[in-house]
Amino acid sequence: MSTCCDTTPDRSPTSTLTLALAGNPNSGKTTIFNALTGLRQKVANYPGVTVEKKTGRCHLPATGTDPARWASIIDLPGTYSLISRSPDERVAMEVLRGLRADTPAPDAVIVVVDASNLQRNLYLVSQLIELGRPMIVALNMMDVAARRGLDVSPELLSKELGVPVIPVIGHKREGIDQLKAAIANARVAPLPDFPLPREFKDELLTVGTGLAKLDSGEAASTAASSGANKDVPLGIAVPPRAWICTDDRSRHLDRYQAIAERLLIGDTASDLSAVAARDPVSSLLASSRSRLATLGIEPMQADIEAHYRWIETVSSRVTIPLDELAAMGNPAGPGDVLHYESPKRRHLTDRVDAVLIHKVWGLVIFGLIMATIFVTIFWLAKPIMDGLQEGIKALGLLVTGHLGDGPIKDLLKDGIFAGVGAVVVFVPQIAILFFFLSVLEDSGYLARAAFLMDRLLAKVGLHGKSFIPLLSSFACAIPGIMATRTIEDRKSRLATILIAPFMSCSARLPVYTLLIGTFFVTAGAFAQAGIMLALYALGIVAAAGTAWIFKRSLLRGPTPAFILELPTYKVPQATQVARQVFNNTWSFLAKAGTTIFCLSIILWAMTYYPRLPVAQANNVAKVAVDRASEDYRQRLIAQGDGEAAPDEKQIADKAVGAEQIRHSIAGRIGHFMEPALRPLGYDWKMGVGLVGAFAAREVFVSTMGIIYSVGDPGEETADLSKAMRADVRDGKPVWTPLVAVSLLVWFVLAMQCMSTLAIVRRETGGWGWPIFMLVYMNALAYVVALGVYQIGRIWFV
C-alpha cells in the first residue's frame, strides 16, 4: 500500500509511460493530442464497445535526472464528469480508474482545461483529484480567455490544485514543449476539503465504518481469492490513497468514507455497481439514503454543490479581469511564453450569438450557409472535375492503347478506368464538402447549429444531442451512428440510429451529381444547387417524420433535457482543417482503390461473361447493319443526297455490345428484376446498378460506367452522361428527367449500404434492428419513388 503523497510516474529509463488525456468536450483536447503526437497515431475501437480508441506516441525530452523517453498517450472521449451516463463517458471513466483489461492503467493524467470557461472545466478536475492518480493540468485557450477579458494565473492555479499547471495555446503549439517537459513532475493532488453538509459527512462516517467492518471478514477473503485489489475494500479497483499531503503535513484519509461517497451518489463504475448491489452493502446504502432523504439531502446534488462551492473559491483566487490587471500595471514575468491578444473584442462571441442563434435569423443564416455549400460544390468543383475526367481518359488510352483486343484490354478499359474512374472524378466535390464541414466545426458554429436544431428535433421527440450524429451522417452514416454513443437515453439513441441513414452521405454525392448534372445541365448552377438542397431536405423531412412515428410507438418515451456548452468562436486552424479534409478525402479514395476497385472487376466480369456465341454475335451484327442500311436507303429516297453512309463496323460493334450485356450474368439479373422496377421508371440496367449500390451507393456510378462502356465497345473512353442521354428503348429515351428524379428519391430514402447495416448490428447488439431498418427504409423508398414517377407521368407526360 502506498504511503507517499508524492506519487509520480514510473521513472524507469527503459519503460514507456502510459498517459491519459482527459478533458471536457470543446476544450481543445484533440488539438493538444495532435500537437503532442504528430502523425504517430492509430485509431481503433475499445473491445466490446464501439467507442473509438485513439492512441499516439510522444517523445518526452530529458529533464533534470530523468532521461528522454517515449510515452503512449490515450486520447479519451470528451466528458464533463466521471459519473458516466453514455458509452463514451463510461469508457473514459473505466480507463482512468484502471478497470479495462484491454487498456493499461495510466501512469499519469493530462487534463485539458479551457481557461476561458474555467469553472465548468474544474468540475472534472475535482473528480480526477478524488481519483488519486498523478496529474498535470494543460491550461488551454489562454488567448481566448484574454480576448474575453480574463487573466487566469497558472502559478496560482498550480498552488491551489497542488499539481503542475502549464499554460498552452494548442492551435498555435505554444506551451507544448513545456507541457512535455512537465510530465515528469506530475503528482497526486492533495484532496480538498469539499464543503459537504455536516449531516452528509456523518452518513459517510456511518457507511464507511460499515464498509470497514464488512471488509474485515468474509468479504475481504472473497476479494483476495478472486485476485481483486487487496488495498481497497471488497475488491474495488481504485488507486489507494492512504496518505494525502497538505502543505507540510500528512493526514490519513479514510478510504472507506471516500468509497462510501461514490456509492451513495450512484457512481456507475463496474466495480462500485457490483459492490452496491451486494448484500449487506445494498441495505446499508438504502438505510443511509433514507435518512438523508428525511433530512432533505440528495447525495448526488449535495456532492455536486460541494464541488462547485470549492470551484468558485478556486476560480476567484486564480482569475483576474484584465481591466484590473491593467490598473495594476500589467506585470509580466520573465518566463512568460504565451502571447495574448488584447481584450478589445471582449464578448465578441456573445454579440455574434445574438444573431446566429436567434430563433428566426439563426435558421435563415443556417439555410444560407447550407445553400452556399451546395452552390460551391457545383460551381467550384466543375472545372476541376472536367480536368480530372480528361486526365482519366488520357491515362486509360495511354495504358490500353498498345494492348491487343481481348479480355485484359476490356478489363482495364471497361472495368477499371470506366468503373473506378467514374467515381474518382467526384473527389473534388467530396473534398469541398469536407472542407466546409471542417471549417464549421473548428470555428464553433456546429454547436450553434445543434442548439438551433434542438427546437425542431424536440417536436419529433429527439433533442439537440441527436444533431451532431445526424450532421456527421451527412459525411458518412457510419461515424454518425457511432457518434450516437454520446446520447444517454437508449430510446433516443436507437431512434437516432434508425434515422441517421436518411441524411445524404458523401457516397450519395456522386450519384446526385451524375443525375443532376446529366439531366438538368441546362438549368444552371443555382438551379442544380436547389435540386441538391431539396434532396438533402427530403432526407431531413423523412428522418423527422420517421422519428416522430418511432417516438410515439416503438420507442415511446419522454424527450430528454438537452444541455449544451457553446464553445467560443475561433478562427479555424488551417492545419486542423487540412488534416480533416485530407483524412476524409483519402478515406474516400482508399475506398475507391479497394472496395470499388474489387466490385468494379466483379461487375465487369458479370457483364462480360458468359460470352455471346460467335454465330449469334454475327447474326446480331448482320441484322443491325441490314436495318441501318435499309433506314439509310429510305432516307435517301425521302430526302435526297447529302447524308453520309452509316459506319457499318460501328453499328455492328454497338449492336453486339448491347446484346452481350443482355446475354451476361448482370443482364439476366437485371431482366429478372425489371418487372418490379418498371413501375418506378427503371429499366434492367438501372436494376443492375441498384444491386451494385447495396455494397456502396457510389458503386452505382461505376456500374453504369461499366455497363455503358461494355455496351458501346466502339468508344475507347465512354462519356457516361452522353451515353445515358443517348440510350433508347423501342424508339423512346430510357432516361428522362422524371426517371432521374424518381431515382434520386430512391437514393435519398433507400438503405443501400452493407457497412452501415454492419455497424448498426454492432451498435444494437443483434441483427433485429438492422433488418428492420433495411425493410422499412427500402419499402418507404419504393412507395415514394413509385408515387413520384406515376404522378409525374400524369402531370408531365
Side-chain angles (χ1 to χ4, degrees), residues 573-593:
Q573 185 183 355
T575 56
Q576 184 74 7
V577 172
R579 185 193 299 267
Q580 290 287 338
V581 173
F582 174 79
N583 288 342
N584 287 292
T585 305
W586 179 254
S587 176
F588 179 83
L589 278 173
K591 191 175 183 181

Side-chain angles (χ1 to χ4, degrees), residues 386-400:
D386 291 343
L388 188 58
Q389 187 174 41
E390 292 302 319
I392 293 172
K393 288 181 179 180
L395 181 61
L397 288 173
L398 179 65
V399 172
T400 62

Side-chain angles (χ1 to χ4, degrees), residues 458-695:
K459 297 182 184 299
V460 298
L462 299 176
H463 62 72
K465 265 198 173 181
S466 297
F467 174 74
I468 297 300
L470 294 178
L471 186 66
S472 300
S473 297
F474 281 112
C476 178
I478 292 174
I481 290 171
M482 292 176 66
T484 61
R485 59 181 180 259
T486 62
I487 302 174
E488 297 90 349
D489 181 67
R490 180 184 175 276
K491 291 184 177 179
S492 294
R493 181 170 180 255
L494 189 54
T496 306
I497 289 174
L498 291 176
I499 67 173
F502 282 124
M503 303 300 108
S504 289
C505 62
S506 58
R508 290 179 171 100
L509 194 57
V511 182
Y512 291 173
T513 306
L514 173 66
L515 296 179
I516 295 173
T518 299
F519 299 104
F520 301 94
V521 65
T522 60
F526 284 96
Q528 289 178 329
I531 296 172
M532 179 79 79
L533 184 60
L535 296 175
Y536 279 74
L538 175 61
I540 294 172
V541 170
T546 51
W548 185 87
I549 294 172
F550 290 151
K551 290 294 287 184
R552 284 158 179 78
S553 54
L554 294 175
L555 304 172
R556 182 187 299 272
T559 301
F562 176 49
I563 301 175
L564 176 69
E565 177 184 355
L566 298 180
T568 304
Y569 287 110
K570 62 178 181 178
V571 177
Q573 185 183 355
T575 56
Q576 184 74 7
V577 172
R579 185 193 299 267
Q580 290 287 338
V581 173
F582 174 79
N583 288 342
N584 287 292
T585 305
W586 179 254
S587 176
F588 179 83
L589 278 173
K591 191 175 183 181
T594 54
T595 303
I596 298 175
F597 177 83
C598 295
L599 289 172
S600 293
I601 294 176
I602 294 171
L603 289 167
W604 170 83
M606 292 175 65
T607 61
Y608 196 81
Y609 296 105
R611 299 301 294 165
L612 195 65
V614 175
Q616 185 177 347
N618 291 336
N619 184 59
V620 169
K622 183 178 183 303
V623 170
V625 170
D626 289 346
R627 182 182 297 118
S629 299
E630 178 62 26
D631 290 344
Y632 175 66
R633 285 194 294 271
Q634 293 297 328
R635 288 195 300 273
L636 285 180
I637 294 172
Q639 301 174 6
D641 295 335
E643 183 179 347
D647 185 334
E648 294 186 358
K649 184 178 185 306
Q650 184 178 10
I651 292 172
D653 288 345
K654 189 170 185 178
V656 171
E659 186 62 27
Q660 170 61 47
I661 284 285
R662 283 190 285 269
H663 183 73
S664 68
I665 296 173
R668 296 174 189 183
I669 293 174
H671 281 94
F672 176 78
M673 297 174 55
E674 191 173 38
L677 299 175
R678 178 55 63 184
L680 280 65
Y682 312 157
D683 76 339
W684 64 271
K685 295 179 182 178
M686 301 176 207
V688 175
L690 293 180
V691 171
F694 271 95

Side-chain angles (χ1 to χ4, degrees), residues 97 99 131 133 229 232-233 235-241 259 271-272:
R97 291 178 64 116
L99 298 177
L131 201 59
R133 293 202 181 277
N229 190 336
V232 292
I236 300 175
V238 295
R241 192 191 256 282
I259 294 171
D271 55 344
L272 292 172

Side-chain angles (χ1 to χ4, degrees), residues 252-331:
H252 185 68
L253 173 68
D254 189 333
R255 294 169 293 143
Y256 299 99
Q257 290 187 49
I259 294 171
E261 182 178 3
R262 310 317 302 166
L263 292 172
L264 281 173
I265 67 175
D267 196 323
T268 56
S270 57
D271 55 344
L272 292 172
S273 299
V275 171
R278 186 189 311 166
D279 270 332
V281 176
S282 59
S283 300
L284 185 65
L285 294 174
S287 299
S288 178
R289 290 192 181 107
S290 178
R291 290 190 295 270
L292 289 172
T294 303
L295 297 171
I297 298 175
E298 201 285 313
M300 173 71 80
Q301 186 65 28
D303 179 80
I304 293 173
E305 290 176 356
H307 279 72
Y308 269 103
R309 280 194 290 269
W310 172 81
I311 288 169
E312 289 171 0
T313 301
V314 171
S315 179
S316 64
R317 291 174 180 172
V318 304
T319 305
I320 304 174
L322 281 178
D323 51 359
E324 295 182 15
L325 194 65
M328 296 188 299
N330 196 18

Side-chain angles (χ1 to χ4, degrees), residues 24 80-82 111 113 118-133 135 137 157 161 163 189-195 241 261-262 303-312 314:
N24 288 183
Y80 292 106
S81 168
L82 295 184
V111 54
V113 171
L118 188 62
Q119 290 194 17
R120 185 69 187 87
N121 282 246
L122 283 180
Y123 183 70
L124 178 62
V125 173
S126 68
Q127 291 186 316
L128 291 171
I129 289 175
E130 291 179 312
L131 201 59
R133 293 202 181 277
M135 185 170 68
V137 173
L157 185 58
L161 300 180
V163 298
L191 185 68
D193 185 13
F194 296 115
R241 192 191 256 282
E261 182 178 3
R262 310 317 302 166
D303 179 80
I304 293 173
E305 290 176 356
H307 279 72
Y308 269 103
R309 280 194 290 269
W310 172 81
I311 288 169
E312 289 171 0
V314 171

